[in-house]
Amino acid sequence: MVVIDKEQKRAVVIDVAVPADSNVRKKEHEKIKKYQELKEELERTWKLKSKCPSGNWSTWGCDPLTGRVAPRDSRNNI
């Protein structure tokens, strides 16, 4: 999904995934590689600042940058 803010001239590519804890970093790299071309096309064609997907969280709330599980009280309950 691509969300475009025409007033701010920004676009955000959203891709939802909930990988296992051991695959969080791998999934993060896959998404960046997968959407890099789309990001460049949005910037070139529509003159938008765009952002590739980031911020994957695993099934247990694992932070992709540190690989650590977030404390239970800091996780959002849905």
Side-chain angles (χ1 to χ4, degrees):
M1 173 175 23
V2 178
V3 177
I4 298 175
D5 181 343
K6 292 181 181 179
E7 291 178 10
Q8 297 293 323
K9 293 194 169 205
R10 292 185 310 186
V12 178
V13 179
I14 300 172
D15 181 4
V16 178
V18 184
D21 289 344
S22 60
N23 292 329
V24 173
R25 287 187 185 180
K26 178 181 174 188
K27 184 56 77 175
E28 185 75 15
H29 290 292
E30 286 176 4
K31 283 185 176 187
I32 290 170
K33 184 177 177 182
K34 179 179 179 181
Y35 291 108
Q36 185 63 34
E37 189 175 322
L38 175 59
K39 176 184 179 287
E40 291 170 1
E41 184 176 337
L42 287 168
E43 291 173 349
R44 185 177 53 250
T45 305
W46 297 96
K47 309 286 190 264
L48 300 170
K49 292 182 180 179
S50 58
K51 185 176 180 181
C52 284
S54 63
N56 285 320
W57 291 92
S58 73
T59 54
W60 288 99
C62 186
D63 183 334
L65 299 175
T66 64
R68 296 183 182 154
V69 176
R72 189 179 248 343
D73 60 343
S74 68
R75 293 186 221 156
N76 292 330
N77 293 324
I78 298 175

